């Protein structure tokens, strides 16, 4: 199956429930504009905006189904066989389709054997309800296990969706060789997130390259991503002007000098930071880590899947998925606040205690 190098992310489509009906047509039209501009891979998930993202995509694509590739995902709470089978029926209904091009595991879930989930997926593939099977947010060993099982079923893992952008190359570095060896496509999510709103030397390098090559910084950041072998990206935009810009990515590949400058500017930005200098962003527990017991930390994730303890076991095995994003606390400049990765932060503290250091990217 061929997919467009740049696709459309839709995690926020249908986000505002109060204006959902009023905005419906304009969001649908934006998706169609994306398709007209070549962004024919559309990424969604059952969980996005409680199914409204899939409903919007269904409305947009029902008359042009063959022109697009729809990638959806099911949640970790639905990893058992019945859960997978129920999830796909719900997604296909909302998406107004009787097949999904790429069906992805949204997050690993250690509580259900991977073989059970994958067996359900490969059975769906044999029935023709899924064309390809993909995974998201898998670390190296989870991906390796998935690929081994797929091979035993004479099938394959088509893609691994990971967070990958100029300022977060951590997971890419961990899995890219394996993906190349096994012909697994890498789909970069959040390829622009928290990148363009910074004020630092790295962004100035990006902006200079953009000016000299007649592109916008967003286009350069995406050209850089797809300059990597076997890598695709799914930016999300709510603006027609930006969507048209995204459609031009791929037409103006970066020269090797620009790639080198970007690699140098964004090199080694992962650093280790004492966990006790980081504050949770959740207002209910604005506490520095040392004050909390393991039991209290565990209780933070009762309604999350994967749980803090599942993530902590992976981290203890050396599989930290990706650094957390932090920024200086404006009101208390000795501390940092978490921008992304709250659960991973607490899993890390659970695993290694409050005197440890955690990999972070400061923005
Ligand atoms: N598998 C997973 O666990 C996972 C996790 C997160 C995300 N995802 C997927 O990845 C998709 C994208 O991720 P994301 O929404 O986190 O981040 P993103 O697409 O990297 O960033 C979105 C931001 O980029 C801006 N933008 C887009 N095009 C632009 C352009 N041409 N010029 C300037 N700014 C531009 C958007 O603003 P405007 O709206 O103003 O254009 C928006 O603020 C999601 O929709 C979802 O499908 C998957």
């Amino acid at each position: 199956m061929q997919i467009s190098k740049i696709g459309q992310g839709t995690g926020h489509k249908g986000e505002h429930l109060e204006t959902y009906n009023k905005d419906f047509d304009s969001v649908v039209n934006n998706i169609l504009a994306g398709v007209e501009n070549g962004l024919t891979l559309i990424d969604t998930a059952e969980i996005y905006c409680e199914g409204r993202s899939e409903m919007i995509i269904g409305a947009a694509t029902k008359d042009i189904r063959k022109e697009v590739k729809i990638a959806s995902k099911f949640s970790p709470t639905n990893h058992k066989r019945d859960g997978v089978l129920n999830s796909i029926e719900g997604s296909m209904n909302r998406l107004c389709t009787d097949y999904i091009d790429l069906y992805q595991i949204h997050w690993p879930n250690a509580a259900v054997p991977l073989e059970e989930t994958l067996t359900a997926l490969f059975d769906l593939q044999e029935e023709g309800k899924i064309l390809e099977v993909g995974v998201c947010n898998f670390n190296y060993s989870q991906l390796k296990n998935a690929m081994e099982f797929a091979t035993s079923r004479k099938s394959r893992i088509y893609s691994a969706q990971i967070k990958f952008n100029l300022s977060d190359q951590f997971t890419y570095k961990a899995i890219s060789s394996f993906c190349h060896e096994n012909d697994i496509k890498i789909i970069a999510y959040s390829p622009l997130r928290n990148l363009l709103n910074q004020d630092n030397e790295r962004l100035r390098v990006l902006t200079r390259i953009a000016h000299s090559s007649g592109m916008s910084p967003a286009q350069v950041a995406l050209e850089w991503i797809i300059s990597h072998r076997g890598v695709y990206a799914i930016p999300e935009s709510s603006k027609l002007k930006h969507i048209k810009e995204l459609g031009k990515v791929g037409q103006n590949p970066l020269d090797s000098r620009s790639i080198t400058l970007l690699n140098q500017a964004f090199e080694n930005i992962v650093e280790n930071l004492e966990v006790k200098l980081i504050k949770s962003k959740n207002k209910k527990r604005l506490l520095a880590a040392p004050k909390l017991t393991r039991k209290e930390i565990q209780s933070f994730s009762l309604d999350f899947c994967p749980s803090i303890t599942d993530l902590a076991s992976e981290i203890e095995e050396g599989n930290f998925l990706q650094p957390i994003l932090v920024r200086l606390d404006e009101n208390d400049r000795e501390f940092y606040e978490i921008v992304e990765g709250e659960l991973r932060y607490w899993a890390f503290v659970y695993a290694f205690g409050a005197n440890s250091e955690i990999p972070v990217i400061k923005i």
Side-chain angles (χ1 to χ4, degrees):
M1 180 173 82
Q2 295 289 328
I3 52 174
S4 55
K5 271 280 175 184
I6 303 293
Q8 305 190 50
T10 66
H12 297 92
K13 302 283 178 271
E15 185 175 33
H16 303 293
L17 191 53
E18 48 313 339
T19 53
Y20 174 63
N21 289 323
K22 186 165 95 33
D23 294 344
F24 192 86
D25 288 346
S26 84
V27 183
V28 164
N29 286 337
N30 275 351
I31 302 237
L32 288 171
V35 175
E36 276 161 26
N37 281 276
L39 312 176
T40 52
L41 169 67
I42 306 178
D43 180 76
T44 183
E46 65 175 354
I47 202 175
Y48 289 168
C49 308
E50 295 157 333
R52 292 187 296 281
S53 166
E54 289 185 325
M55 277 153 68
I56 289 167
I57 292 164
T61 59
K62 63 182 185 325
D63 297 331
I64 52 162
R65 181 64 187 90
K66 294 271 180 252
E67 290 173 40
V68 295
K69 306 287 183 213
I70 297 179
S72 194
K73 322 182 186 81
F74 58 97
S75 306
T77 41
N78 298 326
H79 274 209
K80 291 195 166 161
R81 184 178 180 84
D82 285 352
V84 178
L85 303 184
N86 281 333
S87 284
I88 193 161
E89 292 304 324
S91 286
M92 287 194 304
N93 263 330
R94 289 186 290 275
L95 288 162
C96 307
T97 185
D98 55 6
Y99 70 98
I100 292 181
D101 301 87
L102 172 62
Y103 202 39
Q104 306 159 103
I105 299 178
H106 203 153
W107 280 91
N109 177 3
V112 180
L114 183 59
E115 290 75 12
E116 176 173 348
T117 312
L118 286 174
T119 299
L121 289 171
F122 293 130
D123 290 350
L124 286 169
Q125 192 176 30
E126 275 170 19
E127 276 180 60
K129 290 185 176 170
I130 298 175
L131 301 191
E132 297 286 354
V133 171
V135 300
C136 308
N137 300 303
F138 270 36
N139 62 36
Y140 169 77
S141 57
Q142 291 160 336
L143 187 57
K144 193 162 166 284
N145 290 342
M147 192 63 207
E148 277 168 12
F149 186 76
T151 309
S152 76
R153 282 283 307 243
K154 300 199 171 22
S155 189
R156 64 174 175 179
I157 300 296
Y158 177 80
S159 57
Q161 190 176 129
I162 55 168
K163 183 169 178 215
F164 178 39
N165 63 38
L166 269 165
S167 53
D168 191 345
Q169 305 173 28
F170 195 81
T171 316
Y172 173 80
K173 285 183 177 155
I175 67 161
S176 55
S177 304
F178 183 79
C179 288
H180 295 154
E181 282 158 22
N182 291 282
D183 199 19
I184 300 172
K185 291 182 183 3
I186 294 176
I187 300 180
Y189 75 71
S190 301
L192 302 172
R193 184 144 127 206
N194 291 315
L195 182 70
L196 306 174
N197 52 359
Q198 298 179 30
D199 178 19
N200 54 34
E201 185 47 32
R202 296 194 289 269
L203 194 63
R204 285 188 275 283
V205 172
L206 176 64
T207 308
R208 276 200 294 277
I209 293 173
H211 286 161
S212 65
S213 54
M215 290 190 268
S216 70
Q219 287 174 315
V220 172
L222 290 163
E223 289 287 0
W224 177 86
I225 290 181
I226 62 169
S227 72
H228 294 77
R229 181 178 145 203
V231 181
Y232 299 71
I234 45 168
E236 173 164 6
S237 175
S238 55
K239 299 196 177 75
L240 194 54
K241 176 176 174 281
H242 286 169
I243 292 166
K244 287 185 177 163
E245 253 185 30
L246 297 176
K248 296 202 176 81
V249 175
Q251 294 174 9
N252 199 1
L254 294 174
D255 56 32
S256 55
R257 186 169 172 276
S258 302
I259 291 178
T260 305
L261 286 172
L262 287 167
N263 286 343
Q264 284 166 350
F266 286 85
E267 197 183 20
N268 292 331
I269 59 175
V270 177
E271 52 188 288
N272 289 329
L273 184 66
E274 285 181 60
V275 298
K276 54 186 164 204
L277 295 181
I278 303 172
K279 283 179 175 177
S280 162
K281 70 178 170 185
N282 186 327
K283 300 270 184 298
K284 283 189 204 140
R285 44 176 195 267
L286 268 178
L287 291 160
K291 296 179 190 159
L292 296 165
T293 64
R294 266 189 147 196
K295 207 168 171 196
E296 281 171 311
I297 294 173
Q298 192 178 0
S299 73
F300 292 165
S301 73
L302 288 180
D303 49 353
F304 286 112
C305 188
S307 67
I308 283 175
T309 40
D310 285 343
L311 286 177
S313 319
E314 282 166 24
I315 291 169
E316 277 166 342
E317 284 163 19
N319 287 313
F320 189 57
L321 184 64
Q322 63 207 23
I324 64 167
L325 250 57
V326 296
R327 74 172 149 238
L328 214 51
D329 184 337
E330 281 299 310
N331 304 316
D332 197 356
R333 296 181 75 82
E334 266 177 59
F335 286 92
Y336 290 83
E337 57 180 3
I338 300 173
V339 179
E340 264 179 57
E342 171 105 6
L343 210 57
R344 271 173 284 136
Y345 169 76
W346 288 114
F348 198 91
V349 180
Y350 187 90
F352 297 129
N355 290 319
S356 55
E357 293 188 340
I358 183 172
V360 301
I361 295 172
K362 292 178 185 164
I363 61 165

